[in-house]
Each structure stands twice: as C-alpha cells, then as structure tokens.
Amino acid sequence: MITRNGLLLVFWFLLDKGFLAPLHAPSQSMMGREQHLRGVEGLGLRRHVASGVQRVKRGWVWNQFFVLEEYMGSEPQYVGKLHTDLDRGDSDVKYTLSGEGVGTIFTIDQTTGDIHALMGLDREVKSYYTLRAQAVDMHTGRPLEPESEFIIKIQDVNDNEPKFLDGPYTASVPEMSPGGTFVMQVTATDADDPSYGNSARIVYSILHGQPYFSVDSKTGVIRTALPNMDREVKELYQVLIQAKDMGGQLGGLAGTTTINITLSDVNDNPPRFSKSIFHLRVPESSSVGSAVGKIRAHDLDSEKNAEVEYSIVPGDEGHMFNITSNGHSQEGIIVLSEHLDYETKRSYTFKVEASNAHLDPRFLHRGPFKDTATVKVNVLDVDEPPVFTKTSYTIDVYEDTPVSTIIGSVTAQDLDASNSAVRYSIEWKRPVDGCFDIDTVEGTISTNEMLDRESNRQHNISVVAIKVNNPILSNKVTVTVNVLDVNEFPPELTILFDTFVCENAIVGQVIQTINATDKDLPTVGQKFFFKSPREIRNRNFTVRDFGNNTAGIVTKRVGFQRRVQEYYMVPVVVEDSGYPAQSSTGTLTVRVCACETDGSLLSCTAEAVFLPVGLSTGAVMSILLCMVILLVIVVLYVGLRRQKKRETLMSSKEDIRDNVIHYDVEGGGEEDTHAFDMGTLRNTKAIKENMLRRGTGSWSDVTTQTEINGSTPTTEGSTDIIRDYIHQRLQENHLGFSAPPYDSLATYAYEGDGSVAESLSSIESWTVDGREDFRYLGEWGPSFKSLTPHPCSHRPDTLTHLS
C-alpha cells in the first residue's frame, strides 16, 4: 500500500514538473462496442531507457452505454458502471455524473460507479443522452481522472405500428379501363428506428377490395385488378389497405386505411328513347314559339357524356315545328314554328333524332350513338276571334280633307269553319278619337270633323272586330292616322346672291352654288327642283340642278366684258315636291370682273370678292384695316407734299423769279417796287437768250443790236424787240406745256414812245446793265423758266393774278 502510494506521489510530482504529459482520451469513434466501462489493467509507468522518455497509460477509458426503451420493471434499470484502475475497492475514489437528465432520469452510485435509469425511456421522444463523468479523491476532492464525456443511447424496441397519415383516401379511375391501370399510391410511416432490426420495415396488403384492385407490397401502389369495370353496373368501391412492420412477420404491428375508389364515366352508352312513338296535342290557337310537348331519350352515362342533342329529321311534316334541348333535364322540347289551322290540317307526323354531343372514339365500334322516334301532333279545334289582315295600320291624310271623307279601311276575318260575319267599331279612349268614324260592316274609316295638323299631328285609334255568332270573341288592332301638312308656302332661295363672273370664264363653268328653304314642315326630307324660267331665254347663263337640293349657275358662253355690259340678271325658279307643288322665282345679280388666269379676282369691289368667296369676318376686317392704313398714308403724303410746296414758294420773299403775290389791298401804283423787280424786263442778256432759244435771229444780230443800243437809253430803238418779246410770252402762256394748271391771267404791258411828255411809267426809270445775265434762273427748275428773260426783252410789265 505504501509502495503504491509512493508511486502515485512520484507520478503526480513528475506531472507537476512537466516531465511527463498525460495521454488524451481516445475519440468516441475509437471506443469499443461493449456496454460496460472498460478500464485499463493497472496504471503504471513505462520508461524507455535508451531514449530516456517515459509514458503513462490511462486507466480511465470507456465506450457508450445502451439502455432499452419502454422499461416497465419496478426497480431502476441498470445502465452501466464507471471504474478507474485507481479504485482499489477501499472507497477512496468518488464517482460524479453530470449532463442531461442527471438526477431525474439517471443516477450513479458514487462509490461503485453504477449508473441506473430511474424511469422508462422512449426512443421516439429522445434517442440518446450526453453525460460527463469524473473520478475524484473521496477525502480531498482532488480529481483522480480528467472529466470525460460519454453517450447513453436508447435502444429501440418495436412499440409503434405503421400509420397512414393522410387516410382515408379518395381516388377515381375511368370505367372500362384495362387491368393494371394505376389508381393511386398510399404510404405508411413507422416511428420505430429503421436502422435497428425490422421494427420499421413495412409490408402492404389488401384486406378488402379484391378481386377488383391490387396493391404492391413494397411501394403501396394500387392498381385495377379486373379490366372493363362498368360504372353503370357499380360506381363506388371501398378498398381496405393494411401496412404491417417487422416485414410482415408474425408479431409485427399493423395499421390500416380505407380508400374510396370511384369509377369515372366515359361515353360508352348511346341515348335510347323509351318508346318508338310519341303522341302530342296542341290547340290551333297556340302562338308561334309556344311549347307543344316534351320527349326524352335516356342515356346511362353521366354529366357531359349524357348530354343529348335533338333534331327533327328532314322531310315529312316537321317543318311546322322546331325542337330544342334542355341541358338540365336532357329533354327535347318541341315548339311551334308556324301558325296552325285546324280547318286546313288536323295532324302532323315527323321523326326526331337524339344523339350524344360528346363522342368517345374508343367506343365508336359499338355502333351509332343515336336513336330515333316518331312524333305525332294532333291539332285541336278552337273557336278563335277574328283575325286582322295586318298587325297594325297606318293612314296618311291631309289636314284640309273634307268631313265624311273615307281615308282608309281595316279588314278582319273569321278563320274558323263557321266563317262568321265580323262587325267593326272604334274604341274611344280620348276625346280626339271622335274625329273618326268606321263603317261597322265594311270597316272603312272616315273623318268626323276637320283635322288640324298644328293641333295634333298624329292620331292613334283602336279598332275592335267581333264575331257575330260569338260576340265574346274579339280582336283589336291599332290604326295610326298621320295628319299631313298642306303645302302652303313656296320655297325660296336661301340668300339672294350677288355673285360675279370672270371675263376669262369658259363655257360650262359653275360660278355660283345656290340652295333653297321652305317654311312648310317637316324641314327634313324636303325636295327642291331648280330651273330657268321657260318664258325667258338666257343666252349667257343657265341653271343646273345637282339633284341634292342645290343647283349651280353655269356659263353658256365666253367673252364677258365689263366695257360692254357690267351686270347680268339671272332668274332662278325653285319648286318643292309638296302637294300641291309650290314654286318661286329668285334673281341673282352677276357682275363681270377681271380675274387672273387661275380665276382669282383682280378688279371687283370688296362685295364682289367677299360674297362669292365667302371670306370669314376676321379676313374681311383685316382687309378693311389694311385699306384704312393705306388711306391714312396717302393723306399724310399729300399733306406733306403741300406743306413742302408752300414752304418753297414762301421761303424767300426777295426772290423775283416766280413770285406770285396775292393781296386784297390796293397797291401803291408804279412806285410799289417791293412786290416785283421790274428791272428784269430790261435785262438785255435775257432778251438775247430768248431770241436764240426761239431761233428768230442769229447771235451776231443780237450782239450788234445790243452793242448799238449799249450806249443809248434802253427805250430808244428797242420798241419792236420788246413788243415781240411780250407777244412771245403771251403765246407761250397760252400754248406752252409749262403753263400753270389753273386759271391765270398774265399781262405784259409796254408804254409806247409816241408821247411828247414821254413815259410816266416806272419801267423807264430803271436802267439795267446790258451785260447782266439772268439765264441762271432757268437752272432752278421748270417753275422758274417763265421768269427767265429773253435776250431781246427790255421793259415789260408783268402782272399775274390767280383766279
């Protein structure tokens, strides 16, 4: 004992000093397969002398434990034992346990290391537990072995039966299917451990449903076992399936489920009538479209495969009837398509065919999927009321129709074999119905009073017809009386156009389109006719009716000229289509205008332009505004010209070339020399220039005469020259192109030299140098040429008076 304790002390000393390293516990995968703790035989030291290395063997190694589930014993279930080689049985080693379920599920004997389960365990709830164990010194509590982890697995037992979680099941398979047709697959589950034994190995079998169906023992697939199962024989099958574990061996647990299998319908049956002939009866008074009777063909199939379509076989007497199919009841409803008359035909016989609407080609070999039956319809005699020849009557009458005038009639007949007489009457509903009367025998309708369209445009009266032999039977019809308007007003041209024609217009050219209006009602639907008056033969224009209540004015010739004739009057006759027909004549004024080659207007008044062209108000206002602006510009220009001219004439009062003086006071006589310089008439240079311009003499003659007269007074020896000059000026004022455009009086006076007392005029008081040249005045413009002196002029007096 002392020796072993000494060895232990040496061992712990070596570990504490780091000379030796403990071996690690092996992994769980390296553990053995035993169910009890496997200790290492002894704990000792092994020294390698050659290398000088020491190794310690562990004695604290074990594998996992196993415990059976569902333990039902009265004592705790033994699980296993913990043991270390350090435990010599002297109770010096203490075993501890920790982890899942310690104290509640698992317990350990601290001295012996025995582990027990305190309760029954269920693997399906928890399949294993993870625990930790350790060996310590009983006295000091010092660990003798390092803590190690281990697992306690719950070993499965077959305590759960297979279960079908989705049952019971419902499935369907088409009828007439071949054997082995897939129906469905079922699956059962087992909660036991499939990796341990056969507890979860399931085998399927069929307990109820044979010999119609079968099930695969491994997969659970259900198939048909018999071919051509007929839904019409049996539609629903209930199959019981069992799933058993342990591979189906004795002692295995089993679970079952129910599968309701329905055979779905296919169209494998044709429709069939229950009898070959159907008898129906119908009163002759039945209205068109009313039901005569019903027939039915039975089809054993269901839903859409049982839908039957009915039709009347062509031929025989089926044209009087139609047949329709009722999708809910699968019946054929026979309806009347024409009126029946017992006196004409008392029975009808025809065939009806019933067929499936949806065919299955797999079963066409069985024959046609249709059937036929005969239908006989007997017509019943009925005493009927009189029948009018029309469902309603309409009568048109003019408002000026005289009283007691027949305006229309109605007719009713007794179609029965008795052919009773018929009497007519008007059913008075309103006072206005009294405007009419009816002949009780003939059925003619006449007026009782004058009709006024303005008061009532339409009357609706009811005429009653009764049978003489049975007054209870009567019939009624509506008669609509339309009061027509008498054509009182003639049509008129909508606008009396003032149009134009171009001087270059061609033959057949439409220069204006016209239309008309009528005050009579209704305005809708009126028809107008346009033409030229017959009594007037117009060689220039004609009227062409377009047929749509419009007409055109068309040229008949070319060569229109304003200088020859500026205006043409074109009469137009417009006539309506009323009763009695009314007409009127309107006149159009056609003006001849100058136009461009494309027909655009050049020289017509604004009215001639705007009326036919049809310019808008905005365009007309724009043109007028432009004309006003142009007029203002012209006025301003003329005013400025006049102002400039006035300033030119009055700019220099000292200018003696063309100075026109107007005054209302009496002049100062010959001494008034401020108004006009009389010395101009004495300018010999002007006289010479004028003679040269006139060509009356040579320049040498003028020069000689001037030189001769240069040393003598101007009045001496120059009388003839001055007189000729004055006459020339007068002639130029009368015939010259430079004469003023207004009335004027130009006076040139010269006082002769025959007076002994000589001249008293102020003209001779002027002496002008003969060499003075006033020809430059002609350079001032045409207005001053009349003041340019002639070279031979001497002493003219000039007076200009504006009248």
Side-chain angles (χ1 to χ4, degrees):
M1 184 69 179
I2 297 175
T3 304
R4 188 177 66 180
N5 292 337
L7 291 174
L8 289 175
L9 290 174
V10 172
F11 173 74
W12 288 116
F13 175 79
L14 293 175
L15 288 175
D16 185 58
K17 294 301 180 178
F19 295 105
L20 294 176
L23 293 175
H24 294 287
S27 62
Q28 294 182 5
S29 60
M30 300 283 298
M31 296 180 179
R33 294 183 176 86
E34 300 178 0
Q35 296 187 25
H36 62 276
L37 183 66
R38 185 181 65 184
V40 179
E41 295 297 334
L43 177 65
L45 299 177
R46 181 181 177 182
R47 186 181 304 274
H48 295 270
V49 179
S51 60
V53 179
Q54 294 180 345
R55 182 173 61 87
V56 179
K57 292 179 63 178
R58 286 197 57 180
W60 185 247
V61 179
W62 59 88
N63 294 328
Q64 58 186 356
F65 294 97
F66 294 91
V67 61
L68 290 176
E69 66 170 338
E70 303 295 344
Y71 175 72
M72 304 299 294
S74 58
E75 297 294 331
Q77 183 180 7
Y78 179 76
V79 177
K81 183 181 182 65
L82 295 178
H83 184 73
T84 178
D85 291 343
L86 299 179
D87 187 0
R88 302 300 181 183
D90 51 3
S91 301
D92 289 337
V93 178
K94 177 181 178 182
Y95 298 94
T96 62
L97 190 66
S98 63
E100 296 177 315
V102 174
T104 57
I105 299 177
F106 301 102
T107 183
I108 188 172
D109 189 318
Q110 294 182 356
T111 302
T112 63
D114 294 332
I115 301 174
H116 292 82
L118 301 178
M119 62 176 63
L121 301 177
D122 189 355
R123 190 198 67 83
E124 287 72 34
V125 176
K126 190 172 180 64
S127 60
Y128 66 92
Y129 295 86
T130 303
L131 302 177
R132 293 182 299 278
Q134 190 172 25
V136 299
D137 187 271
M138 179 70 74
H139 303 288
T140 63
R142 183 175 182 180
L144 300 178
E145 295 283 356
E147 186 179 56
S148 181
E149 186 178 87
F150 65 96
I151 294 175
I152 299 177
K153 296 188 68 175
I154 310 302
Q155 189 172 3
D156 182 52
V157 297
N158 189 17
D159 59 341
N160 293 281
E161 74 278 3
K163 294 182 180 180
F164 294 93
L165 301 180
D166 298 329
Y169 300 88
T170 300
S172 65
V173 62
E175 64 171 334
M176 310 304 293
S177 297
T181 301
F182 176 83
V183 178
M184 70 173 301
Q185 182 179 11
V186 294
T187 302
T189 58
D190 196 321
D192 293 328
D193 188 1
S195 63
Y196 180 75
N198 295 326
S199 299
R201 182 185 173 190
I202 299 175
V203 174
Y204 299 94
S205 62
I206 184 168
L207 301 181
H208 179 72
Q210 294 176 338
Y212 307 105
F213 300 95
S214 63
V215 63
D216 188 284
S217 60
K218 296 181 179 180
T219 62
V221 174
I222 301 173
R223 301 179 184 273
T224 59
L226 292 179
N228 300 326
M229 289 187 291
D230 194 353
R231 186 196 68 86
E232 287 73 33
V233 176
K234 185 177 182 180
E235 182 178 5
L236 181 63
Y237 295 85
Q238 193 173 63
V239 179
L240 184 63
I241 300 295
Q242 174 185 269
K244 189 175 183 180
D245 59 10
M246 298 298 293
Q249 298 177 3
L250 185 64
L253 302 179
T256 60
T257 187
T258 301
I259 304 174
N260 297 314
I261 302 176
T262 303
L263 296 182
S264 59
D265 184 59
V266 297
N267 191 9
D268 58 339
N269 295 284
R272 291 287 182 263
F273 284 107
S274 59
K275 51 187 177 181
S276 60
I277 185 170
F278 293 86
H279 293 276
L280 303 175
R281 296 184 300 175
V282 57
E284 65 169 338
S285 59
S286 299
S287 60
V288 174
S290 60
V292 176
K294 299 178 181 179
I295 61 175
R296 181 178 181 180
H298 297 274
D299 193 323
L300 297 178
D301 296 323
S302 64
E303 298 178 354
K304 70 175 184 178
N305 295 318
E307 293 180 3
V308 180
E309 293 181 346
Y310 297 90
S311 61
I312 295 176
V313 179
D316 299 332
E317 299 169 342
H319 64 280
M320 297 292 293
F321 306 92
N322 285 328
I323 188 168
T324 59
S325 302
N326 189 327
H328 298 286
S329 62
Q330 302 303 325
E331 294 177 329
I333 303 173
I334 299 175
V335 297
L336 189 63
S337 61
E338 298 182 16
H339 289 287
L340 299 175
D341 187 6
Y342 175 81
E343 289 72 23
T344 304
K345 191 173 181 60
R346 300 185 179 184
S347 66
Y348 297 88
T349 303
F350 53 92
K351 290 184 178 181
V352 174
E353 182 180 84
S355 60
N356 281 137
H358 307 281
L359 298 179
D360 193 332
R362 296 178 298 172
F363 306 103
L364 293 179
H365 64 278
R366 297 189 177 186
F369 279 72
K370 60 183 178 180
D371 195 13
T372 58
T374 301
V375 179
K376 185 175 183 179
V377 180
N378 294 318
V379 181
L380 304 178
D381 187 23
V382 177
D383 194 6
E384 300 171 312
V387 178
F388 285 95
T389 57
K390 297 181 180 180
T391 57
S392 63
Y393 293 83
T394 301
I395 300 174
D396 295 333
V397 58
Y398 287 97
E399 60 179 341
D400 61 348
T401 303
V403 178
S404 300
T405 301
I406 296 176
I407 61 175
S409 64
V410 296
T411 303
Q413 296 177 352
D414 181 14
L415 301 180
D416 292 332
S418 60
N419 193 17
S420 173
V422 179
R423 295 293 179 263
Y424 304 95
S425 63
I426 294 178
E427 183 180 32
W428 284 15
K429 298 180 181 179
R430 299 171 299 172
V432 293
D433 295 339
C435 297
F436 305 95
D437 195 7
I438 190 171
D439 188 292
T440 58
V441 178
E442 300 295 334
T444 56
I445 301 174
S446 59
T447 58
N448 269 344
E449 56 186 55
M450 293 291 293
L451 302 178
D452 185 9
R453 187 178 187 279
E454 283 69 25
S455 300
N456 198 343
R457 300 181 180 181
Q458 189 179 81
H459 298 265
N460 293 315
I461 59 177
S462 297
V463 176
V464 181
I466 61 175
K467 295 176 66 171
V468 174
N469 60 2
N470 190 358
I472 298 177
L473 297 176
S474 63
N475 200 357
K476 189 184 300 183
V477 71
T478 300
V479 179
T480 301
V481 180
N482 296 319
V483 182
L484 304 180
D485 185 28
V486 176
N487 194 15
E488 300 173 339
F489 302 98
E492 298 176 352
L493 294 178
T494 304
I495 299 177
L496 292 179
F497 291 94
D498 289 336
T499 184
F500 74 97
V501 62
C502 295
E503 290 181 325
N504 56 357
I506 62 175
V507 177
Q509 179 177 344
V510 178
I511 63 172
Q512 182 64 54
T513 301
I514 58 177
N515 50 26
T517 183
D518 197 334
K519 297 180 181 179
D520 290 315
L521 297 177
T523 56
V524 179
Q526 290 180 341
K527 182 66 176 178
F528 301 114
F529 305 95
F530 300 87
K531 59 184 178 180
S532 299
R534 294 182 179 179
E535 63 275 8
I536 300 177
R537 186 175 182 182
N538 194 331
R539 299 181 179 179
N540 302 305
F541 303 95
T542 185
V543 179
R544 180 184 298 172
D545 194 337
F546 295 146
N548 58 354
N549 286 350
T550 62
I553 306 301
V554 183
T555 58
K556 296 178 65 177
R557 67 177 182 87
V558 296
F560 293 97
Q561 296 182 3
R562 286 183 294 171
R563 292 177 295 177
V564 177
Q565 185 174 348
E566 186 176 359
Y567 293 96
Y568 292 89
M569 310 305 291
V570 180
V572 178
V573 177
V574 55
E575 182 178 343
D576 60 16
S577 58
Y579 174 80
Q582 298 284 354
S583 63
S584 66
T585 302
T587 302
L588 278 75
T589 302
V590 180
R591 186 175 183 181
V592 182
C593 299
C595 303
E596 293 281 3
T597 56
D598 57 355
S600 58
L601 210 56
L602 281 180
S603 58
C604 268
T605 61
E607 181 180 2
V609 176
F610 301 150
L611 281 178
V613 177
L615 294 179
S616 61
T617 304
V620 173
M621 295 299 295
S622 300
I623 294 174
L624 292 178
L625 181 61
C626 293
M627 294 176 64
V628 171
I629 293 174
L630 291 175
L631 182 60
V632 171
I633 293 174
V634 171
V635 171
L636 292 175
Y637 178 75
V638 173
L640 291 175
R641 287 293 301 271
R642 290 183 177 178
Q643 182 68 23
K644 184 176 180 181
K645 185 175 182 180
R646 186 180 299 116
E647 292 178 355
T648 303
L649 293 175
M650 303 301 294
S651 60
S652 176
K653 294 183 180 181
E654 301 298 331
D655 193 349
I656 61 175
R657 291 170 292 177
D658 191 7
N659 193 1
V660 180
I661 305 301
H662 176 75
Y663 51 88
D664 296 332
V665 297
E666 186 177 358
E670 296 178 352
E671 297 181 358
D672 188 2
T673 60
H674 297 284
F676 195 83
D677 188 1
M678 301 303 292
T680 304
L681 299 177
R682 306 175 185 272
N683 191 346
T684 57
K685 293 183 180 180
I687 294 174
K688 285 190 291 184
E689 180 180 359
N690 193 32
M691 290 180 65
L692 290 175
R693 180 169 54 85
R694 291 168 53 197
T696 54
S698 63
W699 176 256
S700 60
D701 295 338
V702 177
T703 306
T704 305
Q705 184 66 31
T706 303
E707 291 176 354
I708 294 173
N709 296 333
S711 59
T712 60
T714 310
T715 57
E716 294 180 359
S718 60
T719 301
D720 295 334
I721 296 175
I722 295 175
R723 182 183 297 110
D724 293 338
Y725 174 77
I726 292 175
H727 285 296
Q728 178 194 352
R729 302 296 288 178
L730 288 174
Q731 197 68 16
E732 288 178 354
N733 277 278
H734 286 296
L735 302 178
F737 291 101
S738 61
Y742 43 80
D743 293 337
S744 61
L745 176 61
T747 303
Y748 295 87
Y750 174 73
E751 188 174 2
D753 54 352
S755 175
V756 179
E758 298 184 5
S759 176
L760 299 177
S761 174
S762 59
I763 296 177
E764 290 198 279
S765 61
W766 291 87
T767 301
V768 183
D769 187 4
R771 296 193 180 103
E772 186 176 0
D773 188 3
F774 289 95
R775 285 179 297 177
Y776 66 91
L777 295 176
E779 299 176 358
W780 290 11
S783 301
F784 298 95
K785 286 184 179 181
S786 59
L787 300 179
T788 303
H790 195 275
C792 296
S793 62
H794 193 254
R795 289 167 48 193
D797 285 343
T798 302
L799 176 61
T800 302
H801 178 72
L802 298 178
S803 58

